[in-house]
Amino acid sequence: MKKINLNISDTFNKELPADPNKNNTRRQVHHACFSYVTPRVPSAPKIIHTSKEMLEEIGLKNGDEETEHFKNIFSGAEILENTQPYAMCYGGHQFGHWAGQLGDGRAINLCEIEHNNKRWALQLKGAGATPYSRSADGLAVLRSSIREHLCSESMYHLGVPTTRSLSLALTGDEVLRDMMYDGNAAYEKGAVVCRVAPSFIRFGNFQIFAARQDYDTLKKLVEYTIKHFYPNIKTKGKESYIEFFQQVAERTLDMSIHWQRVGFVHGVMNTDNLSILGLTIDYGPYGWLEGYDPNWTPNTTDAQGKRYRFGNQANIALWNLIQLANALYPMIEEVEPLEKILLHFKNEYPKRNKKMMLSKLGLHTDDVDSISFINQLIKTLQITETDMTIFFRNLANISKEEKKIGENLKIIMPAFYRPSEVVNEIRLEWEKCLSQYVELLKKENRNDEERKEKMNQVNPKYVFRNYMAQMAIDKANEGDESLIEELYQLFKKPYDEQIENEKWFALRPEWARHKVGCSMLSCSS
Ligand code: AMP
Ligand code: MG
């Protein structure tokens, strides 16, 4: 049998304390960063999609994805030679409350590899129960796996820091899920995704040791993380821990800004879902802003408090960083440097957000007029349902030239969900807003062409709207996996004009407005 060849280079399970108990029983695990665990053997595995780019990134060759060996490794049927798969121990704050030990309940790290001087951890999601599965089954269904696989790859091409995805496999097993938590459980197709990232360490990995006052293991984990993932930190001891926290905060801030730029709502920003590398991680009930609404959240579990709504994501990132600061405090024993970093995040976010908004608008001039325009625009975007992606993309077509009243409005008309509403005051409001924009453009020395080119580099044309995911899911559930590849290809170039793909540059269709999986999602996956 042809074997795939990976350059195995394990560190996490070699350098950090392991759980001595090798039984796969659910339990509290103390003084250990992980537990050894073997993936569950699926009954009829089948790889249904591979990211060819990720294949190359990890040093595999085109064609490897068609081998029996690849299928076995990335569905959990077989373990690579000289590897010891494991599940990580972590805790976390869920919806603002400390939840104790969580851990990889359905994620199993296969190994780490090195290729082209990059380190990658390969992790199966949905490959069976682990000591951290609590009362759940350790499995994942096709619908959530398609969403994770395609969205992580599309986020990468949007330029948003993210974990990646190598492959998507069907297990051949059925998985019972009560999708809307309403007592209507049904069997769905089981699936396994192979996620890839330099590391899957989360804020919660540090929190669990701090909560248990196991400062010895906490220190080992911090030192390990700095050594492998923050090698530019040259200081030692306390100073290096402070620098580490500062860089984590910086990366988290950068990630938050990117989310706001592309209209991504994570949906479950619990501290166990925040990567210590500032990567978007754990694609669950996420969504993309369609009608521009800062209060929107796709997660039905969060429908009441809307803690994780679009407009609150940076606040929550900061809240999560405060929890991380608390976890690191015992190693630093000084409040001030940590507070300074948190304060910097708080002050810096509005500045960076403004800069990002100016780039979306194609404006250079950062003066009172442009700031007041941003505030005005955010209000105007909400007077009638206006598609964020289409609006910003079409805005680049507005020119500095004086136009007849109404002509600029025509350019952004395709972004309105209810064009018939755009009359009277709403129309006047929009016309006023656009003529203010033209005034600002006149103050800029860039010409229309240059500005458009720059704007189109930050305002994507194609984003992975929930209804698109749902279409791919519905087809795949019927055995047709072609839309997965079509969307994968589409999202490789989200900023490009793709004439053949114009149909995906469109408003969310009306059928998707209230459909489960499109407008609302639960955590069930
Ligand atoms: P999430 O909200 O998906 O980030 O998950 C929170 C916690 O629940 C993590 O510890 C997950 O590993 C665990 N979890 C979620 N779904 C399952 C499942 N089907 N089986 C076992 N553990 C799960
Ligand atoms: Mg999670």
Side-chain angles (χ1 to χ4, degrees):
M1 188 173 88
K2 187 173 174 259
K3 297 236 167 171
I4 57 167
N5 188 14
L6 288 164
N7 180 26
I8 312 286
S9 164
D10 280 331
T11 59
F12 192 91
N13 61 356
K14 289 263 164 24
E15 297 175 21
L16 290 166
D19 172 7
N21 183 349
K22 293 193 175 165
N23 297 324
N24 197 348
T25 51
R26 292 150 200 226
R27 58 182 179 267
Q28 292 291 310
V29 173
H30 292 272
H31 307 292
C33 291
F34 63 93
S35 306
Y36 291 111
V37 53
T38 309
R40 171 181 178 276
V41 177
S43 66
K46 183 183 165 208
I47 300 283
I48 58 170
H49 196 260
T50 309
S51 158
K52 294 283 168 59
E53 287 180 321
M54 230 29 242
L55 197 74
E56 265 182 41
E57 273 285 351
I58 63 168
L60 293 181
K61 293 186 189 61
N62 220 335
D64 277 348
E65 77 282 12
E66 285 169 12
T67 63
E68 200 62 16
H69 194 217
F70 184 95
K71 177 180 83 180
N72 288 346
I73 299 301
F74 296 113
S75 66
E78 195 186 323
I79 293 173
L80 277 166
E81 270 171 46
N82 302 318
T83 63
Q84 292 172 293
Y86 58 94
M88 288 180 179
C89 180
Y90 57 78
H93 278 88
Q94 298 186 311
F95 295 94
H97 303 284
W98 176 243
Q101 178 183 297
L102 297 166
D104 286 332
R106 56 159 165 185
I108 299 178
N109 294 273
L110 296 179
C111 61
E112 291 164 56
I113 62 112
E114 253 186 272
H115 184 64
N116 284 341
N117 295 318
K118 280 192 211 152
R119 167 168 303 284
W120 295 107
L122 308 181
Q123 183 185 78
L124 299 186
K125 183 166 175 181
T130 76
Y132 308 97
S133 297
R134 296 175 293 152
S135 59
D137 58 13
L139 305 175
V141 293
L142 180 58
R143 97 185 117 78
S144 61
S145 305
I146 290 176
R147 285 170 52 83
E148 172 134 22
H149 178 66
L150 284 178
C151 196
S152 47
E153 287 302 282
S154 91
M155 288 282 268
Y156 170 75
H157 291 291
L158 284 165
V160 184
T162 178
T163 61
R164 305 284 305 268
S165 180
L166 171 68
S167 58
L168 169 63
L170 282 170
T171 58
D173 300 307
E174 301 234 288
V175 175
L176 192 62
R177 286 289 180 269
D178 183 357
M179 191 162 64
M180 292 316 289
Y181 302 128
D182 58 2
N184 290 314
Y187 281 100
E188 298 186 45
K189 289 185 186 182
V192 169
V193 160
C194 178
R195 306 198 281 197
V196 188
S199 169
F200 290 95
I201 301 174
R202 302 139 190 272
F203 287 13
N205 290 70
F206 302 89
Q207 285 185 285
I208 190 74
F209 300 119
R212 289 169 170 169
Q213 300 180 3
D214 177 0
Y215 303 136
D216 185 39
T217 316
L218 174 65
K219 187 166 170 216
K220 284 181 182 149
L221 183 64
V222 173
E223 301 264 355
Y224 166 87
T225 311
I226 293 175
K227 174 179 159 196
H228 290 285
F229 305 107
Y230 289 87
N232 63 340
I233 297 178
K234 301 291 182 217
T235 47
K236 294 268 173 272
K238 276 188 194 184
E239 240 180 285
S240 68
Y241 310 147
I242 294 167
E243 221 178 307
F244 167 60
F245 182 64
Q246 186 259 321
Q247 293 192 20
V248 173
E250 173 54 39
R251 290 197 198 186
T252 308
L253 174 59
D254 182 57
M255 176 185 76
S256 297
I257 298 282
H258 278 291
W259 288 358
Q260 301 311 109
R261 173 175 65 83
V262 298
F264 177 80
V265 188
H266 182 284
V268 208
M269 290 179 73
N270 293 332
T271 56
D272 54 305
N273 288 340
L274 273 234
S275 146
I276 204 68
L277 305 184
L279 306 171
T280 312
I281 193 174
D282 276 11
Y283 290 86
Y286 65 82
W288 297 82
L289 224 57
E290 286 173 323
Y292 189 92
D293 175 5
N295 286 322
W296 186 72
T297 171
N299 184 358
T300 51
T301 316
D302 191 27
Q304 291 294 309
K306 292 189 191 287
R307 179 178 170 86
Y308 299 140
R309 63 190 183 273
F310 179 67
N312 204 33
Q313 297 193 111
N315 287 335
I316 293 293
L318 179 60
W319 192 91
N320 288 344
L321 281 164
I322 295 170
Q323 309 317 313
L324 180 64
N326 281 330
L328 297 178
Y329 173 77
M331 299 177 56
I332 296 168
E333 294 174 311
E334 274 180 79
V335 178
E336 208 199 314
L338 293 170
E339 275 185 349
K340 210 171 134 197
I341 294 164
L342 294 166
L343 189 66
H344 179 76
F345 182 109
K346 199 172 168 202
N347 294 333
E348 197 61 15
Y349 175 73
K351 290 187 205 158
R352 299 263 191 108
N353 196 48
K354 181 183 75 188
K355 207 165 152 214
M356 177 274 289
M357 283 303 284
L358 287 171
S359 76
K360 284 182 81 66
L361 294 167
L363 298 175
H364 270 138
T365 324
D366 173 2
D367 59 10
V368 280
D369 290 345
S370 48
I371 306 314
S372 87
F373 176 71
I374 292 175
N375 296 332
Q376 184 53 45
L377 174 67
I378 287 172
K379 283 190 200 133
T380 310
L381 279 166
Q382 295 171 70
I383 56 175
T384 178
E385 196 181 5
T386 309
D387 191 89
M388 175 177 175
T389 304
I390 299 180
F391 170 77
F392 281 103
R393 191 73 186 189
N394 283 7
L395 192 69
N397 295 329
I398 287 186
S399 93
K400 283 181 178 187
E401 310 285 304
E402 208 57 72
K403 289 259 175 66
K404 264 198 239 137
I405 286 228
E407 275 192 41
N408 285 330
L409 191 56
K410 258 193 214 145
I411 293 174
I412 63 152
M413 213 61 186
F416 296 134
Y417 279 90
R418 297 187 184 88
S420 61
E421 265 183 25
V422 188
V423 287
N424 306 333
E425 289 104 82
I426 292 183
R427 189 184 171 95
L428 284 176
E429 191 64 36
W430 264 112
E431 279 173 353
K432 192 175 99 199
C433 179
L434 294 177
S435 59
Q436 273 173 6
Y437 181 58
V438 172
E439 288 310 310
L440 291 176
L441 293 183
K442 285 188 197 154
K443 287 204 280 182
E444 301 271 323
N445 45 24
R446 254 196 311 213
N447 68 35
D448 287 336
E449 271 312 299
E450 284 167 342
R451 176 175 43 86
K452 177 172 173 168
E453 199 191 313
K454 285 276 178 253
M455 286 172 77
N456 285 355
Q457 288 165 7
V458 292
N459 296 320
K461 175 139 182 172
Y462 305 103
V463 295
F464 191 36
R465 297 165 186 266
N466 281 344
Y467 88 87
M468 296 160 91
Q470 195 56 42
M471 284 171 75
I473 291 164
D474 289 343
K475 276 198 163 185
N477 272 324
E478 287 161 15
D480 175 359
E481 288 125 15
S482 57
L483 194 49
I484 300 175
E485 172 66 11
E486 185 182 331
L487 294 175
Y488 169 75
Q489 292 297 343
L490 173 73
F491 294 123
K492 271 183 170 174
K493 293 191 165 124
Y495 298 99
D496 284 14
E497 296 294 326
Q498 301 182 37
I499 307 297
E500 68 287 9
N501 281 315
E502 243 353 83
K503 67 168 188 259
W504 296 119
F505 180 61
L507 295 172
R508 170 199 61 229
E510 271 314 296
W511 61 258
R513 183 179 286 278
H514 300 295
K515 190 175 153 80
V516 171
C518 298
S519 61
M520 40 182 170
L521 288 126
S522 73
C523 287
S524 154
S525 56

